Amino acid sequence: MEYQTPRYIEIPGNINDSGSVHFWENPLLFPKGILRCFWISGVKSGESRGNHAHWEESQVIVAVSGRLEISVDGVEGSKAVFTLEGPGSGLFVPPLNWVSIRFSSDAVLLGLADRAFSEKDFIRDKDYFGSLQEGN
């Protein structure tokens, strides 16, 4: 598997006076479709969630409401910070990227994944992830 960096993606939608609807139709990112979705809410402002990487899973992260500040460390040593505010864009996070997410008080995170949940796919030890970085 070739390493990929995270990147913003646009999420199509229709917005008018009666509201907005956004939808996912992206077989290029997830050829097998969405195999898992999850949402996180009620996180205290400034608290951090995520704090892990995946061996194989790719995700798209969306701020359905509020603001998410997402810090990403790539296995090849890159560091980036992404900000999401609103459902019209998302962050595509390929495998082997360590993600830490800070929430505004009203934030709701929607996660879309290309794999079913597997604890074996998680890298939860930041020091171990750092040793993978040193190997590149």
Side-chain angles (χ1 to χ4, degrees):
M1 170 181 13
E2 183 178 317
Y3 173 76
Q4 297 179 50
T5 58
R7 64 185 182 276
Y8 286 111
I9 61 169
E10 293 300 313
I11 298 175
N14 296 313
I15 301 169
N16 60 39
D17 291 340
S18 66
S20 62
V21 60
H22 289 86
F23 48 88
W24 177 267
E25 294 177 340
N26 194 326
L28 296 177
L29 284 183
F30 292 179
K32 295 180 182 178
I34 297 168
L35 298 183
R36 179 168 62 98
C37 69
F38 57 93
W39 46 97
I40 301 171
S41 61
V43 178
K44 293 179 183 171
S45 182
E47 289 290 318
S48 178
R49 292 292 306 256
N51 304 309
H52 65 267
H54 289 278
W55 288 107
E56 296 182 358
E57 180 176 289
S58 293
Q59 295 181 348
V60 170
I61 298 170
V62 179
V64 176
S65 90
R67 181 174 193 264
L68 301 172
E69 184 178 286
I70 304 166
S71 299
V72 182
D73 295 350
V75 74
E76 56 19 295
S78 65
K79 294 184 182 296
V81 177
F82 300 88
T83 301
L84 296 176
E85 294 182 277
S89 64
L91 180 64
F92 174 64
V93 182
L96 297 174
N97 286 285
W98 185 272
V99 174
S100 296
I101 306 168
R102 295 225 178 261
F103 286 64
S104 66
S105 62
D106 59 343
V108 177
L109 177 153
L110 172 65
L112 308 171
D114 68 346
R115 296 182 178 271
F117 179 84
S118 170
E119 186 61 38
K120 292 179 182 178
D121 190 56
F122 282 78
I123 305 169
R124 295 189 186 274
D125 183 326
K126 182 72 184 252
D127 291 335
Y128 176 71
F129 184 79
S131 75
L132 297 174
Q133 290 177 312
E134 295 165 7
N136 286 320

